[in-house]
Amino acid sequence: MLHADVEIIKAIGKGNSVVFKQVFISHYESLCRYAYTILKNAEEAEDVVQSMFVKIWEKREGLEVKHTIRSYLFKAVYHQCINMLEHRTVKLKHQVHLTHELLAETQRPETFQDELEENIIAAIKTLPDQCRIIFMMSRYDELRYAEIASHLNISVNTVENQISKALKILRVKLKDVIE
Amino acid sequence: MKNKNDIVVDDELIARYLCGEAQPEEAEALTDWLEEPFNLAHFEKIQATWDVTFPSKGKVSFDKDSAWDALQHNIHSPSERSSFSLWFKIAATLIIGLSAGFLGYRLFQTDSAHSQISVATLKNTETVTLPDNSTVVVNRNSAISYLEGFGNDSREVDFSGEGFFSVKGDESRPFIVHTPVGHVRVVGTVFNVSSTRSGLEVNVQEGKVLVYTLTDSTYLEAGQSASLGAGKPINIVDSIDANQWGYATRKFDFQDVPLANVFESIEKAYPYTIEVANKDIKNCRLTASFDHVSAREMLNLIGETLDLTIQENDSTFRVEGKGCPWVQ
């Protein structure tokens, strides 16, 4: 463990709220962004990070950090988020159709509210079939890699590759939209 | 750039991260990697692609400073559910100065020279003078907590229940009231706060305040009132019923007001219950002003004016009489 981290843990354990604030301010945003990628909801992400820090402060006297403060914080956020996902009431996920007409449907009217976004829809339509389906299941149905893999009876590795591929293709196709 | 875990940050990892599939070590490695501006630019291009495919989701940002404010509040005021039982437990061992219905004690002895002071009321209303000579009339069943002496940069209090604040002007130290639902920030002014676990109402008598939550904020001027529910946008109303804080000002002004409302205002300001023998009594209208008058005197005067009899029994007043027909 970093020497500086040892001193920080000791100070927080003694109730030093200035040091505690420093840790909070330094890591808050990156922890929230990470939580947001998992939970896909900004309010819940902030709740998780906030309650984690409250718990740390409340249990500060017995605080034990094995490696670095930063890895401790990221691990804690990760576990909290996974817990929350498991307890979430199961949303009714849309059935993913295997046809081109998918995007033309008003299946997800709340996603695209502007005709100007036709070119985004068009770009997604150009993705190869399996790639497009996997990308949409991740992006819009918010399924995890393991869920997508089991739905489609493929490996997680394949899911990973297809999503990477989708992002690469879309990045080129949407260069003008992204600026 | 390799880190101690030898995790390579490539486009695949970035994609995994954006999808929410990154392990904590990977997220950590990515966060480190993003410190290099060149890497950040690359990441942002991919993130922009990801963002643009779900336009109605919008870009997110996290404000660490207001988050710190919210955290401070969460730490210094345990959730309302446990707050009163917590205070009663501590009060049993740490009471300093006790009078009927008033509890004052010290909490949260920190390393620094100053301790946290908390005051909770039960059946009575108490006027608390804060370290900067601002005053708060704390209504029944309410609580206020603050750092002894305040700080150098700000004057902050945690508050739940109802209180009437008269804040002294101090440009160098903003005065901030933290409640479970939102915060109120002023430089020097007079306002009323009514806070519960799920709602907050702020009424401004003089001056200007800023009411804010993590997601919304608004300025309120004298004569305006704002109400907030958790997660909802702030709602502003342009008129104020100053009788609502009669508990603090001891001033009431009723202009052709139905007794139903008059009794409500009195019950709010005093620890009494008002019963009517006949519901038509509530229709009678009153035009009268009171300034530092006891509840008994107010009710006796109302009785004389509207031909009603008042009977007092313990902490209940019973009003009898013919009453008035209901008029729109």
Side-chain angles (χ1 to χ4, degrees), chain B residues 307-318:
Chain B
D307 199 22
L308 303 165
T309 54
I310 314 287
Q311 267 170 15
E312 191 180 343
N313 189 357
D314 225 357
S315 53
T316 306
F317 286 95
R318 193 169 162 78

Side-chain angles (χ1 to χ4, degrees), chain A residues 2-68:
Chain A
L2 289 179
H3 178 76
D5 277 11
V6 173
E7 292 304 315
I8 291 173
I9 304 291
K10 256 205 310 217
I12 294 178
K14 289 215 196 109
N16 189 325
S17 56
V18 172
V19 170
F20 180 67
K21 179 174 178 177
Q22 262 314 105
V23 174
F24 181 90
I25 297 286
S26 319
H27 295 102
Y28 185 72
E29 279 175 82
S30 48
L31 291 170
C32 284
R33 285 184 193 286
Y34 180 40
Y36 176 73
T37 62
I38 302 176
L39 298 172
K40 322 241 191 251
N41 178 313
E43 263 177 50
E44 284 182 12
E46 289 205 86
D47 275 347
V48 164
V49 178
Q50 285 253 347
S51 30
M52 181 186 72
F53 274 99
V54 171
K55 274 199 201 93
I56 289 175
W57 180 255
E58 286 176 350
K59 304 205 161 113
R60 61 188 180 277
E61 282 163 34
L63 193 61
E64 261 180 43
V65 169
K66 289 206 178 75
H67 299 287
T68 62

Side-chain angles (χ1 to χ4, degrees), chain A residues 14 21 28-29 34 37 40 50 57 70-71 78 110-111 120 139-140 142 144-145 160 164 171 178, chain B residues 12 16-17 19-24 28 31-32 48-50 52-54 56-57 64 67-68 111:
Chain A
K14 289 215 196 109
K21 179 174 178 177
Y28 185 72
E29 279 175 82
Y34 180 40
T37 62
K40 322 241 191 251
Q50 285 253 347
W57 180 255
R70 202 211 278 246
S71 46
Y78 172 77
E110 71 281 0
T111 314
I120 297 172
R139 190 63 171 117
Y140 307 118
E142 295 183 350
R144 302 193 51 75
Y145 283 11
E160 222 177 86
S164 264
R171 192 172 131 197
I178 299 170
Chain B
E12 270 67 39
R16 267 209 299 289
Y17 174 85
C19 289
E21 297 282 332
Q23 291 296 307
E28 203 191 323
T31 304
D32 281 334
T49 311
W50 180 251
V52 93
T53 57
F54 207 144
S56 54
K57 253 208 161 162
K64 55 186 185 265
W68 174 252
D111 266 347

